[in-house]
Amino acid sequence: MGFYSKYILPKVIDLACGSKIMTRQRARVVPQASGTVVEIGVGTGLNLGHYDAVRVRQVTGIDPCTTSLAMARARATSLPVAITLAQGSAEALPCAANSADTVVSTYTLCTVPRPERALAEVYRVLKPGGRFLFCEHVASPHMRVSAWQDRLNGVWGRCFGGCNINRNVARLVCDAGFEIGEHVSEDIAGEMVFIRHQSAGWARKPAL
Ligand SMILES: C[S@@+](CC[C@H](N)C(=O)[O-])C[C@H]1O[C@@H](n2cnc3c(N)ncnc32)[C@H](O)[C@@H]1O
């Protein structure tokens, strides 16, 4: 990992992902988490303050970036929820099968290199009936925007740590075997055009 990725990028992402608009999106999704929670791509911990301490027993946040994890650790210290942070990949979660009530992903499936692999891991780790909560920027349904998303995806990824702006997260979630419970796919007013269209909601691992 180069100097930019290790030391600069986490701060850039913290600033960009800490915007008022994204904070509103987090506040719609994260408080729904309950029980034993795994957060994939916890980053600098911008979601940690949104967990409801009454509903949540424990949060395990996973991210490959140690600089981001250090920032998340600083945020975690003042919170009333039990939080464990660990270096790792969503593609190989260091969690037992059928152990989590909720898995959370906000603005992470854009960056994980193999989102299908990550979602297979989310499925493995969730208990039957457990919920996957997600909020992600996705490919736009507006053809002119999506064409530009395709064109710029490579350059964008090189600037922003491998982020992809043209993924169809709802389709990936369905293909992984989840049952969609709620899914809002909409343009978020005020958001930058390439990340304006966002998918938020939850999906369930089918109960046995
Ligand atoms: C745009 S940031 C979002 C961070 C955080 N989820 C948020 O909502 O603020 C993308 C995050 O995905 C993380 N990431 C990249 N590859 C990953 C992987 N294979 N597994 C888990 N997280 C990954 C990055 O380190 C980064 O923290």
Side-chain angles (χ1 to χ4, degrees):
M1 192 184 272
F3 183 84
Y4 171 74
S5 303
K6 189 160 167 55
Y7 297 107
I8 311 282
L9 190 61
K11 293 183 176 73
V12 171
I13 287 177
D14 187 62
L15 255 178
C17 293
S19 71
K20 270 193 191 148
I21 295 172
M22 286 198 182
T23 303
R24 264 204 310 274
Q25 290 292 89
R26 297 174 194 289
R28 286 168 68 177
V29 172
V30 181
Q32 298 178 48
S34 61
T36 302
V37 179
V38 174
E39 183 176 332
I40 59 169
V42 66
T44 60
L46 289 166
N47 285 335
L48 298 177
H50 293 281
Y51 287 107
D52 177 347
V54 176
R55 294 162 57 93
V56 167
R57 193 175 317 124
Q58 156 83 39
V59 178
T60 302
I62 307 292
D63 202 283
C65 176
T66 51
T67 311
S68 297
L69 285 171
M71 293 166 76
R73 220 160 260 130
R75 284 203 163 99
T77 49
S78 56
L79 296 173
V81 181
I83 296 167
T84 305
L85 297 164
Q87 189 182 20
S89 169
E91 296 179 4
L93 287 170
C95 309
N98 304 320
S99 60
D101 298 290
T102 312
V103 176
V104 173
S105 173
T106 65
Y107 309 111
T108 293
L109 288 175
C110 55
T111 303
V112 172
R114 294 176 299 174
E116 301 86 356
R117 182 71 220 136
L119 286 165
E121 278 293 89
V122 171
Y123 193 96
R124 178 185 69 79
V125 161
L126 274 174
K127 295 175 184 172
R131 294 205 303 167
F132 176 52
L133 307 181
F134 57 92
C135 174
E136 304 281 344
H137 61 78
V138 296
S140 172
H142 310 298
M143 281 178 62
R144 283 181 57 187
V145 178
S146 71
W148 275 104
Q149 286 176 315
D150 288 339
R151 267 181 221 125
L152 293 177
N153 194 54
V155 178
W156 183 278
R158 281 192 285 284
C159 296
F160 299 112
C163 175
N164 291 270
I165 46 180
N166 60 355
R167 286 186 173 165
N168 184 334
V169 168
R171 188 186 306 144
L172 287 166
V173 171
C174 288
D175 288 351
F178 290 95
E179 295 166 348
I180 297 275
E182 187 183 308
H183 176 218
V184 180
S185 173
E186 60 184 346
D187 280 339
I188 304 297
E191 189 55 278
M192 209 268 241
V193 63
F194 297 124
I195 58 169
R196 184 172 298 158
H197 202 79
Q198 302 198 1
S199 268
W202 60 267
R204 196 184 290 286
K205 173 173 171 176
L208 289 176

